[in-house]
Amino acid sequence: MNLKILNSREKKKIAEKLSREYGGEDKMFGQHVLLQSGGDIWIVSRDCVELDLSRLKVDSLGLQVLRKWQPTIHGIQLLLKKSQMQELDKKEAMEFIKGKAVKKSGRIMSYRGKPIDAAEAVTGGYRRKKTNS
Amino acid sequence: MNLPAGLEEDLRILLRDEYQEFLECAYRPARQSFRINTLKAELDFPFEFSGERIPWCPAGHYSASQVSDSVEHFQGLVYVQEAASMLPAEALDPQEGDTVLDLSAAPGSKSTHMAALMGNGGCIVANDVDYARLKSLRFNLNRMGVINTILSWDDGASLEPDILFDKVLLDAPCSNAGQLRDNPEALTTWSRKKVKQSSELQKRLIIRAADLLKEGGTLVYSTCTFSPEENEEVVDHAMEERGLRVEPIRGKFGRHPGVKYWRGREYAREVVDTARLYPHDNDTGGFYVAKLRK
């Protein structure tokens, strides 16, 4: 797999896209590096990218934050914690995690102020978005 | 729970008049514990299931109730981890700009701990030889929101990455006798043959770990077992073959010193500065930790 390191302009474009869709900060990626292969994006610490990895049998690196241009659950939990979230109570949060619809509406559901996952509208409410995580 | 005959014999020698106290503790189920993932939650985040703090790990708590089926666990805010096993990463004390190797990393309790201590800065190479366990490692790293780690799938004893590391953690495969409280099935596979085989592998791994360390770098070696063949003998081997020096481990935990003599062998004097944790020392599982410098 060929991975491209995104420059600051390309990083900003992705951050703006996520911000428009979910809220959150334009500077969500900080000083970290984004690697791209098609519609898949990984975030990696700068120090990892600066190492010579040629003699390592690398299985993976960093954290995949977009898969086919959709945020992964781990990307949402890491990057979108300052976005607009719909707070669920404990019972709702457990139902939401299990894939059931909750009556509250929102793009991202949270529990105790921390993101759980992205949501999509279905009959009866909102449930976890199928993000291929 | 019946201890294998050979293990009981060894423990009676190691513990002497503390053997009964050890047994009474070993028969009790281990206390559940977890570590707050500071990449996603604050140290003072009020978890419902928090119990008393673990003295040697600022992010560690005993738990008052079930953690693994909680929403917070799903969110990656906590990692269920045995209390004694929180010691190696604290002893290694990786810093934000460090390059760190976790030579036998799966399923990831120590890699994720180190990533949190490093604030997701620097770089960790997390290696494991077992692909099924590597998948668990990858999942746990993702769940914890770790971005400063490269996953490597390779035999740790022959790893040749062309990188020298500031710090190396080797939490070595072992005979697992220290898991007797929360995983008594581990005792069914204990044998003197397994101890010998584990010791041979551990010696190869620690030499590789030492060779991948920068001059002045720190290596922490740990196991969850009691046999000196897998603990002090391996440390002694690294000292003899690669000139590493033992450093004392600071921290608020009860411990026994490393043993200098075992079954006709004498180890380097400094092994007494390594730490044996028996269950009754801190009401945990069994563990061994050594800190070495190159």
Side-chain angles (χ1 to χ4, degrees), chain A residues 32 43-49 51-64 73-74 77-78 81 90 93-94 97 110-117 128, chain B residues 39-42 45-48 69 71-72 74-75 77 97 99 120 122-123 125 131 134 138 142-143 145-154 159-163:
Chain A
H32 302 307
I43 185 170
V44 190
S45 74
R46 194 160 287 281
D47 287 334
C48 281
V49 172
L51 283 184
D52 177 1
L53 305 180
S54 56
R55 295 188 64 182
L56 267 179
K57 291 176 186 166
V58 175
D59 173 80
S60 56
L61 67 171
L63 181 74
Q64 187 169 5
I73 179 174
H74 300 122
Q77 288 176 354
L78 183 69
K81 43 196 174 211
K90 188 173 178 180
M94 293 299 289
I97 286 169
S110 64
Y111 176 65
R112 305 192 70 194
K114 308 283 187 189
I116 305 174
D117 201 355
R128 281 177 67 192
Chain B
L39 295 177
K40 289 188 175 181
E42 305 72 35
F45 191 90
F47 294 99
E48 279 178 0
D69 54 4
V71 179
E72 292 92 331
F74 184 86
Q75 291 170 302
L77 307 187
T99 309
N120 252 340
C123 185
V125 173
Y131 192 69
L134 198 79
R138 194 192 310 129
N142 288 343
R143 190 170 68 82
V146 172
I147 70 168
N148 72 340
T149 298
I150 297 166
L151 275 199
S152 157
W153 177 30
D154 208 343
L159 200 65
E160 287 187 358
D162 215 11
I163 303 168

Side-chain angles (χ1 to χ4, degrees), chain A residues 6-22:
Chain A
L6 299 186
N7 61 34
S8 51
R9 187 176 47 82
E10 290 162 329
K11 266 174 70 172
K12 191 172 176 215
K13 210 168 151 188
I14 292 175
E16 283 170 351
K17 176 182 172 343
L18 288 173
S19 293
R20 272 197 308 275
E21 209 168 322
Y22 296 98

